[in-house]
Every structure is written in structure tokens, then in C-alpha cells.
Amino acid sequence: MESILNFLGSISLWVWIIVALLLIALRDIFFNRKHTISHNFPVVGHLRYMLESIGPEIRQYFVANNREELPFNRIERSWVYASSKNENNYEGFGTDRDIYLHQHIFVKNCMIPFKMEKDHPNKSDKSFLPCAKVIGLYNNRKKPYRPGSVINVSAMSFGSLSAKAVESLNIGVQKANAFHNTGEGGLSPYHSNGGDVIFHFGTGYFGVRDEYGNFSMQKMKELVQKNPFIRAIEIKLSQGAKPGKGGVLPGAKISPEIAKIRGVEVGKDVLSPSAHKAFTNVPELLQFIENIAEETGLPVGIKAAIGKTEQWELLAELMVKTNNGPDFITIDGGEGGTGAAPPSFADHVSLPWVYGFTAIYKIFQKHKLTDRVVFIGSGKLGFPAKAAMAFAMGVDCINVAREAMMSIGCIQAQVCHTNRCPSGVATQSKWLQNGIDIPLKSDRLAQYFKTFRKEFIEITHASGYEHPCQFTMQDVDLNVDDGELTKTLEESFKYSKTPVEYTCAEDLKQCTYLGGSYTS
């Protein structure tokens, strides 16, 4: 035995490498039937798969320019990171954005901006910016609610996000006077660290379901009574990235903790149906909203991505007729995020936020309902200029999900659906979560919100207003395509240039004011 070990030990490292490569080549040629490239090009073909696996990282860090990545480009991510760390988030030498691109936003500033008096709240707190409307006030709910911040954390479930990420967000919103939407995974202990909470549920009724998976009003009442920090309830009809499609939580990811929170069985796949069982049509939805509001005393709203609008028309008509209805409506855009969605849904189903919100707001405006409802926008609006556009269109608050994730460390690796999130934000891996320092990350979420509000206030004041609710549709311009390929400048801008007096080049050369070395 010793002689064998001595013989093996005497073999050069290069020989071992060659033997290993030969074994890989034999495996590729004679046993591999799944991968054509590695079969036809043994050993070398594996390099192709290795490079492909790190392709997104190569493009993100070395190839893509500052403005071309999606969902969020490098400039946007850097602004969130710097804002959350209270670092310098300015840019020098002017914008590197092509300001003539389609849908570029222009916020119109005033010649004389809004001037704060010495006792104005924003003198002592530069980020003080609560919602201008009170949720539930019109419908006389027992416990109306005015969000203390116009920017808040959107619906993200425990299970989709890690425990430490959820806890960081909840502590962060408490520090920033914002609210935290639970997402449809139920209320977890990690949502219960002092921040205001909007309890959100979807077709699975997680946390408020009976043993058969049906909605339980009794469990809803008990949940609200035990957790007074729940300030409102949101019913998810659909979400931007996968409207009309139920979710799947594999049994392997359902730990005893998640099973207890969601009210499901350990180790068994959980399928969320595509449609609600508690109601089947718009009148039943309206009654469902009123029943929950009556039993809990809380404002109740709905969240949806927008496609067809006929049922929204019916909802508005019934609200006028019954004098009832949702206290708030969250409009999600088709560009919204999710932990996992089929590309066909994420790319093509539901309208982008600007189109979806416009369609719904017009309906409610036509029926004179806009003063009764608090409108919440959700869909990549976590940047001050985009928020100004949203408020000019009729939004009262915005919810952010991926921007909030980035503030606590998300690097847009886009592997949320694999449970291998390298930053520990969207994974249940204990090892990966260990990188999240909850006190630090909660501070960063709070700082991002405060920085956002401070800059949003500054834009608002520059436009001559005290609060962004005062923005109108006339205060923001967008670059738009008009269907014509070219126009002269005179046709485009509707004026003719005044002629410039000119004689000849020699006269210019002889001018006594000419600079440079010409007069030496």
C-alpha cells in the first residue's frame, strides 16, 4: 500500500491534469448525449457553457454602458446605493442621458421657486413629506390612516425575500416614518418590528385562510386585533409581472416557520389559484371590501395591473350608486418585478404603468371619484423625477420594491427565482443571509427614503409648489413620437431665426476683440 501511495505521489501535477482532461474528453465523446457542443468539441466545449453562465455579470460590469441596462441601469442603481449610504449622489459635468429620447421626462421649474418661511416643517426636517390624503376618511372607516411618507415599501413576501431582508425593511420604514406592505405571504415576525404595515393578501389567502384554503374572516379579525400596527388591508387582484397567474411555492422551500405563517403544510407544494374564491364578480368584490372594513375597522384597498377596463368602469359605476368602495387603489405596471414569472407574462401581459394608471384615473375622474380614493403608484417610480411625473398624473403615494431591495444590498443579479441570491436578500439560504447586517441595512433603507423625499421636495419647490400633490398635468413634459420621420427646425419649433449681420472673414480677423494668438 505504501509503495502505491509513493508511486501516486511521485506523479507530476501536470500528469494528473492531463489524465483528468482525458477522462472528461472520454466522457464527452462516449457518454454525453445532452450537450452537442461539448460532445463535438470535448473539453474545450465546456468553456462555452462556463462563459455563458457568467455572461450577465460580464455584461453588467464590463460591457453595458451606464444607461442601457434593464430593469435598472447602472446610473439608477448607483443613485439608490449612494442615497442609501448618505454618500455623494450628485453627478458632474452635466447629464450623460440622451434627453431627446422618447418619453424623457422634463419637470418645469418656476422663475421664482416656492420659498419656505423660517418656521416651515421642512426647515427642521428636510425629508418631511406625508401623503396629502387620508386613507379611509371618505368612507368613514373606524381607523383612517394618513401615510407619513409619500414613498413606501411595496408588496414583497417573506419566503420570496429572506427573513433578514424583511426585518431590515420593516425597521427601516419605522425609522423613515413610512409603511411596509407584507406581500401575499402572510404577516411574519419579521414584519413586526415597529413599522406601519399594510396587510396584503392574494388568492392563496395566506395567514387568513381556513384548512381548505378559503378566506377566513375570523382569522382576519384576530390578526388585526393582535397586531395594531396593521394600518390598512390590501386585496391583490393581480400584479404587474404576472397578472392573472397564480404563484407556486415548492414544498422544498416550505419550512415549518413558513408553513405556520402561511397556514399550509410543511414540505407540500402550495399552488395559488389564478382567481379569488371569496368573490367572482365586481359587485361581490365591492361587498367583500365593505365586509372586511366593517369587521376590522381598517381602510381596505385593492391592487391590480391593468389590461381591460370594462370591469373598472363597472366598479366606478357601483361606487357612485352604493357610495361604497375601496379606500385606496394601487396600480402596478407591467414593468413591475417579481421573484419568478414566465417571460411571456413579464414581457407582454398588462400595460406599462403610465398607460395603465392613465386609463384607470380617467375612469374615476369621469365618475367624480378621485377625491374618494388614494391612488398608489407601483412600477419603477422610486426616483424623484419619475415620482414628479406620477404625482402630476394623479398619484398620492408611490410604493417601491426593487429600489428598496437595492437600498439594502440587492445587486440586480436577477437570480431571485433560483434561491441563490448572492446578497442574501431574495433567498432562504442561512449562509447567504448572514451577510445582511440588520441595523446597518435598516438605516440604509431609511436613508434612501429620506434622501428621495428631500430631493422630491426640492424639485417640488423648484416648480413653485409646497407639496407634490399640487403638480398638474401641465407641469411635466415628455418627449413623444408624432409619427413623422423628419421636420425642419422651423416646423418643429414654430419660429424663424433672426438673421445675423455678416460681411466677410477678413473683417472678423481684423477685429480688435478677437482672442487667441491672432493679434500677437
Side-chain angles (χ1 to χ4, degrees), residues 437-482:
D437 182 321
I438 292 173
L440 174 65
K441 298 301 185 182
S442 63
D443 281 343
R444 289 187 176 176
L445 182 279
Q447 188 58 54
Y448 161 56
F449 276 12
K450 291 176 181 178
T451 302
F452 170 94
R453 295 196 305 249
K454 173 180 174 290
E455 292 195 14
F456 194 16
I457 291 168
E458 291 170 347
I459 288 178
T460 303
H461 290 179
S463 301
Y465 300 125
E466 183 177 23
H467 191 283
C469 71
Q470 297 172 287
F471 276 112
T472 72
M473 297 286 278
Q474 303 302 314
D475 294 317
V476 179
D477 284 355
L478 289 176
N479 280 341
V480 295
D481 295 331
D482 60 7

Side-chain angles (χ1 to χ4, degrees), residues 43-343:
V43 181
V44 177
H46 289 279
L47 293 175
R48 185 261 181 194
Y49 298 107
M50 292 172 62
L51 291 172
E52 182 183 42
S53 69
I54 61 173
E57 288 78 12
I58 291 175
R59 289 189 292 273
Q60 182 176 15
Y61 293 109
F62 302 107
V63 178
N65 68 36
N66 286 342
R67 295 288 187 183
E68 70 180 358
E69 290 180 273
L70 291 173
F72 295 89
N73 62 47
R74 187 177 292 118
I75 292 293
E76 290 171 329
R77 297 198 311 275
S78 296
W79 183 84
V80 173
Y81 297 147
S83 298
S84 66
K85 298 173 186 176
N86 202 23
E87 294 177 349
N88 185 343
N89 62 1
Y90 289 12
E91 61 183 34
F93 213 66
T95 181
D96 63 356
R97 183 189 291 271
D98 183 351
I99 63 175
Y100 300 101
L101 285 178
H102 178 61
Q103 289 201 344
H104 184 77
I105 299 167
F106 298 96
V107 181
K108 297 179 182 177
N109 61 295
C110 277
M111 183 171 69
I112 301 175
F114 175 82
K115 182 180 179 181
M116 292 186 291
E117 300 298 332
K118 60 181 180 180
D119 58 348
H120 193 280
N122 289 134
K123 283 285 189 180
S124 56
D125 183 354
K126 296 182 184 300
S127 67
F128 177 75
L129 192 59
C131 179
K133 287 183 181 176
V134 179
I135 302 176
L137 188 63
Y138 179 88
N139 289 320
N140 294 314
R141 306 305 187 198
K142 296 174 185 174
K143 302 174 183 176
Y145 175 56
R146 185 197 298 274
S149 170
V150 297
I151 180 172
N152 303 281
V153 174
S154 192
M156 294 184 285
S157 306
F158 168 57
S160 177
L161 297 191
S162 67
K164 287 194 173 184
V166 173
E167 188 169 353
S168 298
L169 294 173
N170 190 258
I171 296 174
V173 299
Q174 189 273 330
K175 295 175 180 177
N177 299 302
F179 69 67
H180 186 185
N181 192 305
T182 63
E184 63 179 309
L187 182 73
S188 72
Y190 313 107
H191 292 102
S192 311
N193 291 277
D196 286 350
V197 163
I198 305 294
F199 180 77
H200 169 109
F201 68 88
T203 58
Y205 306 119
F206 299 124
V208 288
R209 59 191 264 152
D210 63 19
E211 57 184 316
Y212 305 107
N214 299 312
F215 176 77
S216 169
M217 185 66 79
Q218 183 59 36
K219 287 192 174 181
M220 174 64 82
K221 290 170 62 177
E222 292 174 357
L223 186 75
V224 171
Q225 290 170 359
K226 292 178 181 177
N227 301 282
F229 52 82
I230 298 177
R231 307 303 301 272
I233 296 166
E234 183 175 76
I235 304 167
K236 189 186 90 167
L237 304 179
S238 59
Q239 72 179 83
K242 48 184 178 183
K245 179 174 176 58
V248 178
L249 190 64
K253 292 185 70 174
I254 301 178
S255 64
E257 182 181 36
I258 292 176
K260 181 179 179 182
I261 292 167
R262 295 199 176 203
V264 297
E265 295 182 38
V266 176
K268 185 176 180 181
D269 290 353
V270 175
L271 308 178
S272 299
S274 57
H276 279 269
K277 291 186 285 186
F279 54 88
T280 58
N281 54 44
V282 176
E284 290 179 3
L285 167 62
L286 201 62
Q287 188 58 54
F288 186 57
I289 291 170
E290 292 304 312
N291 291 344
I292 293 176
E294 180 63 30
E295 293 291 337
T296 64
L298 295 179
V300 180
I302 55 178
K303 175 183 179 178
I306 308 304
K308 299 178 180 180
T309 59
E310 294 86 353
Q311 292 173 324
W312 288 97
E313 286 275 5
L314 177 57
L315 174 62
E317 291 169 4
L318 289 173
M319 288 175 65
V320 172
K321 182 179 179 180
T322 64
N323 204 33
N324 293 324
D327 300 291
F328 64 97
I329 297 176
T330 303
I331 302 297
D332 201 6
E335 63 271 57
T338 182

